[in-house]
């Protein structure tokens, strides 16, 4: 059974930082491309970042350099370091495993507000 469990979201002030984590099970993690997506209220879900099993990284067009995706194959975990946060990045953040038809986590809320 494939499971993805995100954590690390929360309320943070503008300019602050958060680190999201997604722990996976049920897949051969080192061979699977992983991604972070986000969905803001009233908007479509959009790509934040992808990282392949070999470590190749791509960021979504709307990501302006303050996010960093990384993976730890020993821990079957993908992370998203988010710095210099602005209110416009407020959204539910989801991780995805590109395995089979694709698997999603349950999402973690990130709210940037003073």
């Amino acid at each position: 059974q494939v499971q993805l469990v995100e954590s690390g979201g929360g309320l943070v002030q503008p300019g602050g930082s958060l680190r999201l984590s997604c722990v996976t099970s049920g897949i051969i993690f080192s061979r699977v491309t992983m991604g972070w997506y986000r969905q803001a209220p009233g908007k479509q879900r959009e790509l934040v970042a992808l990282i392949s099993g070999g470590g190749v990284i791509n960021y979504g067009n709307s990501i302006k350099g303050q996010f960093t995706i990384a993976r730890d194959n020993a821990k079957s975990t993908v992370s998203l370091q988010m710095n210099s946060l602005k209110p416009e990045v407020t959204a539910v953040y989801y991780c995805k495993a590109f395995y089979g038809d694709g698997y999603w986590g349950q999402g973690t809320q990130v709210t940037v507000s003073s």
Side-chain angles (χ1 to χ4, degrees):
Q1 182 179 3
V2 179
Q3 288 188 319
L4 287 72
V5 180
E6 300 106 331
S7 63
L11 173 64
V12 63
Q13 292 187 342
S17 298
L18 284 174
R19 183 180 178 87
L20 307 183
S21 293
C22 174
V23 179
T24 72
S25 59
I27 60 175
I28 304 175
F29 181 80
S30 62
R31 299 180 183 178
V32 176
T33 293
M34 298 296 299
W36 283 100
Y37 290 75
R38 66 186 179 191
Q39 188 165 18
K43 296 187 177 181
Q44 290 187 331
R45 192 171 297 189
E46 65 172 349
L47 173 68
V48 175
L50 298 173
I51 184 167
S52 73
V56 176
I57 293 172
N58 286 283
Y59 292 99
N61 291 333
S62 63
I63 304 305
K64 300 192 187 327
Q66 73 267 41
F67 291 2
T68 303
I69 191 172
R71 66 189 297 150
D72 184 338
N73 288 340
K75 296 181 179 179
S76 298
T77 299
V78 61
S79 62
L80 185 70
Q81 179 67 42
M82 305 187 296
N83 299 325
S84 302
L85 290 170
K86 300 177 181 179
E88 53 260 39
V89 307
T90 293
V92 179
Y93 284 71
Y94 299 89
C95 68
K96 180 179 180 179
F98 288 81
Y99 177 78
D101 293 332
Y103 291 85
W104 294 90
Q106 82 285 358
T108 186
Q109 177 71 48
V110 171
T111 302
V112 183
S113 175
S114 55

